Amino acid sequence: MTTTEVMDLQRTIGHLRQCVGSLRNVYGDASAVRRLANDVDRLDIDAHDLDESPPRPTTIAGGERVQVPDTPYDRSLWQGADDEGLGGNPHENA
């Protein structure tokens, strides 16, 4: 992570810690509040671990970058294909 990212993360974790403290004032030592406090502690530990370890260099399969053109694809390439998650074309089977 960059220095800015680490600072943003630590600032956010500090804000979460304050929010959990406010919740503790309202709900007392409820199990949900204890779990939230534990989660914030774990986030803080992980953030410190990331800050202390160097980032891994990004690698691309085969070591080569692939240029993806901005031009539209030929629509015939997609003829008969479904839009996954959206269902098939209702006019196609009619």
Side-chain angles (χ1 to χ4, degrees), residues 12-53:
T12 301
I13 291 170
H15 186 246
L16 281 171
R17 192 174 305 284
Q18 290 174 348
C19 290
V20 171
S22 296
L23 289 171
R24 183 170 281 130
N25 290 337
V26 174
Y27 293 98
D29 196 33
S31 61
V33 175
R34 287 194 314 266
R35 286 193 306 269
L36 286 170
N38 185 44
D39 290 343
V40 172
D41 289 340
R42 289 176 34 218
L43 284 171
D44 195 31
I45 290 167
D46 290 340
H48 284 291
D49 287 349
L50 284 176
D51 190 27
E52 292 175 0
S53 64

